[in-house]
Amino acid sequence: MEALFREALLALPPAPLRDLLRAGACSLCAMRFLSVRGRVYSQSVPAPPTILAEIGNGDGLESDRSSASCCTVCQGILQSAGVGLAVLEAIQKEGHEFCDFSLEVTVPSATLVRERSLWCYLRKEHPEDFKAEDPNECIVSLKEAVKWTFGPQIEAALGKVMDKNSNFHISLVFKHANSSSEIQFLSDLSGGDSKRKRGPVEAGESIAAVQRSLASISSDAFARHYPCPPPQSDTPCELVSSCRKDAIFVVGRYLKYSRSISQSPWTIQEDRIGDGSVQEIIGDVIFPHFKADSYKFHAAGREDIDVRMLGSGRPFLLEILNARTCSKQEELLKLEHAINSNKDGWVKVKGLKEAGNEVWTVMRQGEADKQKEYTAVVWLSRPVTEADFTTLSNSKELEIQQKTPVRVLHRRSPLVRPRIIHWMRCEALHDSSCYFLLHLCTQAGTYVKEFVHGDLGRTYPNVGSLLDCDAEILCLDVTNVKMDFL
Amino acid sequence: MDDKEEENAVLALYPRAHELPPRAPPAHETNFTHYFALDVGGKEFHDQYLYRHGNGLCVVGLAPSHLALRSPSKIKIVDYDVGKKSRADMKASGRRKKDAQVLEENSSLCKVSSEDAEFLVRCCIRGQLLEVNERLTSDPSLLSRKPASQGYIAILMPKPEAWKKAEKSLLTREQYKQQRMQQE
């Protein structure tokens, strides 16, 4: 018998230990019930008959289940063989690269019932030592015990360290065929659990639901409906192991030089609109590199298909789900170069790098406060004058009222939204009497095109009303999206 | 950005001369397809336009050949109160346009009164009424000055089936020009 175990064994109260083992608990479950924690679980622990031989079998050999093959509480979970190997196989099948891992454990709901049952029995036999109604307050949870028992084994098989903060999750799901029928009596008992939502009986099977039911039943009521100690189990649990990586984020800023590229793929009744999308141009280069399941494209705002995105670019993030490979910064630089070398040159990216979950806060931060700068080519129904330039540049913090533009009125609420044009600056265009360049800075959410042409007068004031003529917008560019981003 | 990039970025903003058409087409021509209805309600020269946006919304107004715009007497009043209720009282709220009233093809939208005549403007298509042009109530001259743009009468949201039906009896701009402009 190993030294660590012997030490732990000697510290345990012999009478409860004896009762637990004879009731059919395996050695590890007995240790759980007696609040033993730590490294001893991963050691080779002797079977109940051996321990009983050490501490003395006691009298009354009638109901001695200590030689049973399967623990009546964990139903073989803590005796599972080849866990490390099973995990290794699951990971190799997916081909994951990872630096460390965390363990997620799922056990059958019936385990909670069996634990409660054994606990009731223990309380009855030793009322002085085990007072609490709810075993969860005192015993070591099975999930924790699984991690202690198999953690080192898995670490050895994978050659990596177990760390609860890891972004790579290994899931151990233990199933037992009889679990649902064993817990059936609970739903009958609590009869119309108020928390139960619409749906099949499966809803009552979740660990949480079973926990709630057990919490509301007194020990006496429980003992009337379920045998204490728990009955023998003939079949052990089965293990299914799987793994997944947390989403990783590739962030940067994009520039769009084309007037026929939408931000994300746009289809109207099976016809594709435009020559492509920013999402695909960037995603098609970056996504294959990570050997992942899928990706999602998120950007800080968007521009119309016919509007270019210039200046320092628009922040975006590519959320990559369940990537198999880890990336390094040099590789990302190569990908950035690959995107920027595209012969079409419609989209370029800057500052490509990997980031963690904090990106969401940065993206959402002050979205409503952000100011945007634009440059528009404006046409007037009469020749442009210096006075026009002065009128517009003298306008600071101009408040306009925008009715929902007709072009989006089919999918947005009909409202009047006040917006601010912070400043405007004009530039003459050579050889053109009716056109000029309008630079402006507006509040986030301003429809700039409508501010120029007036949208049938539904945006007011507008450039035409300010200059007392008709104004039209020929084209628009976004020149700055101000954001502290990476 | 390095200097060369910066210089290129600034230059990119300037359009080339050949990219500037002498007259920039108005937004209500570029973004909408124009249709016309002649002799609405059986009244001669009660001609209306119906601008259809790519998203299906329709803007309704008086066509250039409408009697109210051709006669010398000025437009005095535009009244959205057409009997049982005023069209101006309509309230469509939310993205799904809850409570927007559904009007029929020949439902009246408003009464336009000049010094010596009255004209009834009708929908020309079945659909939900999203908006009336309240500016016409306070400034009826807008209708004579800018009937094609800021003097629009109302905005309707028809269902696809309603559009298919109405389209059959509407004229395209070419057809309209042929029928009406010939009389110039």
Side-chain angles (χ1 to χ4, degrees), chain A residues 308 409 411 427 435 458 472, chain B residues 12 14 21 27 95 97 131:
Chain A
R308 294 186 300 186
L409 185 52
R411 59 176 170 80
E427 243 186 283
Y435 287 93
R458 298 165 72 257
E472 300 296 340
Chain B
Y14 294 85
R95 195 154 50 100
K97 321 297 185 283
E131 191 176 298

Side-chain angles (χ1 to χ4, degrees), chain A residues 203-410:
Chain A
E205 273 186 28
S206 75
I207 294 265
V210 170
Q211 228 157 24
R212 278 195 300 268
S213 302
L214 284 176
S216 61
I217 301 181
S218 73
S219 300
D220 296 331
F222 182 86
R224 281 199 292 275
H225 290 84
Y226 193 86
C228 303
Q232 265 187 273
S233 174
D234 301 315
T235 41
C237 289
E238 284 177 1
L239 167 62
V240 175
S241 49
S242 59
C243 53
R244 69 166 211 286
K245 184 89 66 72
D246 278 346
I248 60 179
F249 299 93
V250 174
V251 301
R253 285 178 177 259
Y254 76 82
L255 288 94
K256 178 165 93 85
Y257 296 100
S258 161
R259 293 197 189 279
S260 47
I261 298 279
S262 52
Q263 195 187 74
S264 44
W266 188 7
T267 316
I268 294 185
Q269 293 178 337
E270 293 168 39
D271 290 323
R272 204 36 217 275
I273 309 288
D275 294 335
S277 69
V278 175
Q279 175 179 319
E280 288 162 305
I281 291 175
I282 297 179
D284 287 350
V285 171
I286 297 183
F287 177 63
H289 180 74
F290 287 90
K291 299 195 181 53
D293 287 348
S294 62
Y295 73 91
K296 293 185 196 162
F297 180 86
H298 311 271
R302 54 180 190 251
E303 62 283 329
D304 288 345
I305 187 171
D306 60 345
V307 173
R308 294 186 300 186
M309 179 67 237
L310 309 174
S312 44
R314 186 183 297 277
F316 72 91
L317 36 110
L318 214 59
E319 184 185 349
I320 301 182
L321 300 160
N322 206 14
R324 305 295 189 281
T325 62
C326 298
S327 75
K328 299 180 204 56
Q329 189 55 32
E330 312 96 62
E331 280 156 16
L332 284 179
L333 282 175
K334 282 199 203 135
L335 293 178
E336 181 174 324
H337 185 73
I339 297 174
N340 293 343
S341 317
N342 186 313
K343 62 169 171 49
D344 293 321
W346 294 328
V347 173
K348 295 211 194 291
V349 295
K350 281 183 184 184
L352 217 56
K353 63 184 203 223
E354 201 176 312
N357 266 306
E358 72 276 2
V359 291
W360 290 120
T361 2
V362 180
M363 284 283 263
R364 300 283 163 254
Q365 209 165 50
E367 243 178 1
D369 306 333
K370 289 309 160 201
Q371 296 184 0
K372 310 272 196 309
E373 286 171 29
Y374 302 86
T375 296
V377 175
V378 179
W379 174 88
L380 297 183
S381 52
R382 50 126 177 99
V384 179
T385 66
E386 271 300 320
D388 293 330
F389 287 4
T390 316
T391 310
L392 294 181
S393 52
N394 282 348
S395 245
K396 301 279 182 225
E397 308 301 318
L398 171 71
E399 185 173 300
I400 66 173
Q401 302 289 328
Q402 298 200 285
K403 284 196 182 147
T404 309
V406 179
R407 63 185 169 102
V408 297
L409 185 52
H410 64 296

